[in-house]
Amino acid sequence: MTLLRRVRDGYLRTYGEMPEGVAFVPGRVNLIGEHVDYNDGLVLPMPISAGTAVAWGRGDAPGVEAVALDLDEERDSFGPGDATPHQPVDWRSYLRGTAAAMAGQGLHASGARLAIAGSIPRGSGLSSSASVCVAIARALAEAGGVQASAETLALAAQSAEHNWAGVRCGIMDQMAVAAGEPGCALLLDCADMSHRNLPLPDDWAVMIVQSGVRRGLVDGHYNRRREDCEAAAKALGLSSLRHADAEAIARANLDPVVTRRAAHVVEEISRVAQAASAIEQRDLTRLGDLMRASHASLRDQFEVSEAHVDRLVDLLGHAIGSEGGARMTGGGFGGAVVAVMPSSQTNRVRARIEEDYAPPSGAPLEIMIEQTGRVLAGECE
Ligand code: ADP
Ligand code: MG
């Protein structure tokens, strides 16, 4: 059953009437530019075909009612403006945080009934949480009859992560899913949210392979990495590492761990700019080299990779050869690996990986292949 059908049926089952509309928001895969968004850096994510659908109706009372169709049809409801933080953090935290941020902007005043369903593997680095939050924000704006820009939706979603889920994430994920176009990479400057969609050549393919390693305690690691970066910027007298350079870091006599973290950020931001040029010049070999260098830096300098992920990246790299490359994607400590290659190679590469890699969990291997080029959104499959 398609996602659209599932969310409409779920809405009808829950509220006894058809929804008035459905907001669809994709997930995203980051091609390059990891752990740089919260350092005001450049990033290059791409929306994927899996996403979140939120069916909405206006309901008959003010306030919000919602059902999470993927989570045993759990329910939540709260009056206008009186959502309270939910402990422990779960989908309600994202719902309530997003609704509070939209209400704070005057963008959601009336009542809304929501049904939420998604097709993004959760917790694997493909931003299901950003997709859920932006989809909720868009559904609330549609129910309230107001226009909200991609930036407004993204900021509401980020506020839910920061203030209601305790994850001090940057703005990449939210902007990627709110402003990214299917088949394109979004070159986003996280310093000012300026962005440009770069169509990927339509004879390239983007492959996402799940390592099958579940991330553990990731939010603590994530926030600690962020603190290391902030410490480096402060020691250098800068507002963020976006303004740092390799020589200044080497000269500053920082703690060795903090030096490695800062070096990764500065080098990774430069790789993103080079990767954007490689895409514009249709240079898959160059893009592959940059992806390999990004992975090595995340493994050795930023220390957020993991042994199975490293092995999967190596296997993909060998199978692809020099035209294209692979790297970990997302915050790290498990989750997904992303690879770019000529689309003519996907069957061969897939067969090699299916033969050589088995997820440690014993679960079946999950491989997604994303379309490139300016294609019409094939959402809701
Ligand atoms: P990711 O890397 O996928 O963003 P997170 O741990 O940040 O991983 O977010 C996963 C959380 O987002 C889930 O635990 C859940 O609370 C929420 N979420 C994701 N998808 C859905 C969904 N389809 N319905 C309800 N909540 C969802
Ligand atoms: Mg998330």
Side-chain angles (χ1 to χ4, degrees):
M1 197 192 305
T2 65
L3 180 57
L4 198 58
R5 174 88 186 276
R6 194 152 67 78
V7 80
R8 282 208 185 108
D9 286 0
Y11 187 99
L12 176 61
R13 205 165 51 246
T14 308
Y15 302 115
E17 59 185 22
M18 285 305 284
E20 293 174 59
V22 178
F24 174 84
V25 171
R28 69 98 186 95
V29 64
N30 192 18
L31 299 180
I32 194 162
E34 214 65 78
H35 284 278
V36 299
D37 63 342
Y38 54 80
N39 292 296
D40 286 348
L42 297 173
V43 293
L44 203 54
M46 169 190 175
I48 57 175
S49 47
T52 310
V54 176
W56 59 266
R58 271 172 276 239
D60 6 78
V64 174
E65 273 184 88
V67 57
L69 297 172
D70 301 329
L71 303 171
D72 294 329
E73 310 214 346
E74 285 178 358
R75 304 282 291 262
D76 195 21
S77 63
F78 43 90
D82 63 346
T84 49
H86 188 267
Q87 286 303 337
V89 168
D90 71 3
W91 70 278
R92 296 175 188 84
S93 314
Y94 297 105
L95 167 72
R96 294 179 189 187
T98 304
M102 292 294 281
Q105 297 276 314
L107 290 171
H108 143 61
S110 53
R113 278 175 170 165
L114 310 175
I116 305 165
S119 54
I120 308 167
R122 290 189 284 280
S124 72
L126 301 178
S127 280
S128 69
S129 62
S131 175
V132 164
C133 292
V134 173
I136 290 170
R138 192 170 278 166
L140 291 175
E142 286 175 11
V146 295
Q147 295 282 336
S149 66
E151 287 83 352
T152 301
L153 298 174
L155 287 169
Q158 187 195 34
S159 155
E161 298 259 8
H162 280 196
N163 304 317
W164 297 66
V167 181
R168 295 183 61 215
C169 58
I171 196 68
M172 166 173 71
D173 301 348
Q174 294 75 14
M175 279 298 286
V177 304
E181 286 176 20
C184 300
L186 183 79
L187 177 61
L188 170 68
D189 186 335
C190 299
D192 59 9
M193 290 172 56
S194 58
H195 55 274
R196 194 155 58 89
N197 275 287
L198 306 179
L200 290 165
D202 55 14
D203 54 354
W204 294 7
V206 174
M207 183 181 279
I208 302 165
V209 186
Q210 295 291 342
S211 69
V213 178
R214 289 204 63 77
R215 301 176 312 178
L217 293 175
V218 65
D219 301 343
H221 283 296
Y222 187 97
N223 290 345
R224 257 199 310 285
R225 291 298 183 282
R226 188 168 175 151
E227 284 159 17
D228 287 344
C229 294
E230 284 166 357
K234 191 160 173 230
L236 294 166
L238 301 169
S239 58
S240 77
L241 286 178
R242 173 64 179 276
H243 311 291
D245 60 54
E247 292 85 65
I249 293 167
R251 256 188 281 113
N253 239 330
L254 304 171
D255 169 277
V257 171
V258 172
T259 301
R260 289 204 298 277
R261 307 289 188 252
H264 164 75
V265 171
V266 169
E267 293 162 17
E268 184 81 352
I269 292 172
S270 146
R271 277 190 287 270
V272 173
Q274 296 174 62
S277 311
I279 290 171
E280 286 177 321
Q281 291 160 14
R282 306 174 73 94
D283 187 344
L284 193 44
T285 305
R286 178 91 189 107
L287 181 63
D289 287 342
L290 292 161
M291 291 175 79
R292 263 184 291 283
S294 169
H295 185 79
S297 177
L298 288 158
R299 183 189 60 211
D300 303 335
Q301 301 201 96
F302 217 69
E303 296 177 280
V304 288
S305 193
E306 187 277 341
H308 295 87
V309 170
D310 292 340
R311 178 154 177 273
L312 181 53
V313 167
D314 280 349
L315 289 170
L316 277 160
H318 280 117
I320 292 168
S322 62
E323 234 196 315
R327 57 180 286 278
M328 58 158 272
T329 187
F333 305 103
V337 166
V338 63
V340 184
M341 67 199 77
S343 39
S344 58
Q345 298 300 310
T346 51
N347 288 343
R348 191 184 57 76
V349 171
R350 178 199 277 269
R352 280 281 296 278
I353 298 304
E354 281 171 351
E355 204 171 298
D356 294 343
Y357 186 80
S361 55
L365 185 63
E366 276 181 69
I367 299 182
M368 295 150 85
I369 296 177
E370 296 298 324
Q371 269 192 296
T372 54
R374 277 198 197 269
V375 288
L376 283 178
E379 311 134 339
C380 297
E381 291 300 320

